Amino acid sequence: MSRENALLSPATDRGLSIALIFALAAERLSVYYSHDQWLKEGQGTTLAADWLARSQRRLPLAERRQLSALSEQLARQVADTLSREAGLHTAHEMMEALDARYESEIGRTLMVECERLLDSALADQASSIPPR
C-alpha cells in the first residue's frame, strides 16, 4: 500500500483531516531534517490537494490551509522538543506509519496529538462564531 493510499483510507472527513495533519507533519519533519528548512504553509496546502486528488477527494482551500498550519504547529513542536537524533527517528517512524500495516507507538501517539490539535482548532472556531 502506498503512503497516499494509507493516508486516504479514513472513513470520515474528520479522520481524513487528522490523517492529513499527520502526513503533512511527517513530510515537514522529513524535509526539515533532510534539508534544514521548513515547508511553507502554501506548500503544505498544495501537497494536501495533490494527495486528495489521487483519491478523487477535495477539501476547500481554507480547510487545507488550516490543516497545513496545524501540521506545521505539530512538526515544529516535535523539532523543538527533541534532539536531532530523536527527531530524525520520530520523522522516520511517522513516514513509516503512513502505511496502515506498520505498527508504531510513536505514530499512534502523534495521531492522538493530531486529533487533539484538530479538536482544539475546531473548538476555537466555534467559540469565535457570534451567537444568533
Side-chain angles (χ1 to χ4, degrees):
M1 178 182 281
S2 74
R3 288 185 175 138
E4 291 83 12
N5 288 341
L7 166 70
L8 298 171
S9 63
T12 65
D13 289 341
R14 184 175 190 284
L16 177 65
S17 294
I18 293 166
L20 279 170
I21 294 168
F22 183 91
L24 287 169
E27 186 69 27
R28 286 178 186 285
L29 285 167
S30 290
V31 168
Y32 174 71
Y33 287 115
S34 296
H35 305 289
D36 200 29
Q37 62 185 18
W38 290 105
L39 291 178
K40 296 186 179 3
E41 186 177 309
Q43 290 172 304
T45 302
T46 300
L47 191 54
D50 291 345
W51 287 340
L52 289 165
R54 290 183 185 146
S55 66
Q56 300 174 349
R57 296 180 86 166
R58 292 189 181 143
L59 287 174
L61 177 60
E63 208 170 319
R64 286 185 283 121
R65 279 188 181 142
Q66 179 187 36
L67 298 175
S68 179
L70 291 172
S71 74
E72 181 172 9
Q73 181 181 338
L74 176 62
R76 287 182 184 265
Q77 180 183 349
V78 167
D80 289 346
T81 57
L82 299 177
S83 68
R84 178 167 177 76
E85 185 176 327
L88 280 164
H89 176 73
T90 300
H92 174 76
E93 279 291 302
M94 289 178 77
M95 293 300 281
E96 291 293 326
L98 293 175
D99 181 338
R101 298 172 295 179
Y102 187 80
E103 292 292 321
S104 169
E105 183 64 31
I106 292 171
R108 284 189 294 276
T109 300
L110 289 171
M111 190 66 79
V112 169
E113 181 61 13
C114 292
E115 185 175 10
R116 188 198 65 74
L117 284 170
L118 180 63
D119 290 345
S120 178
L122 294 175
D124 289 348
Q125 282 179 341
S127 68
S128 68
I129 297 173
R132 291 182 176 192

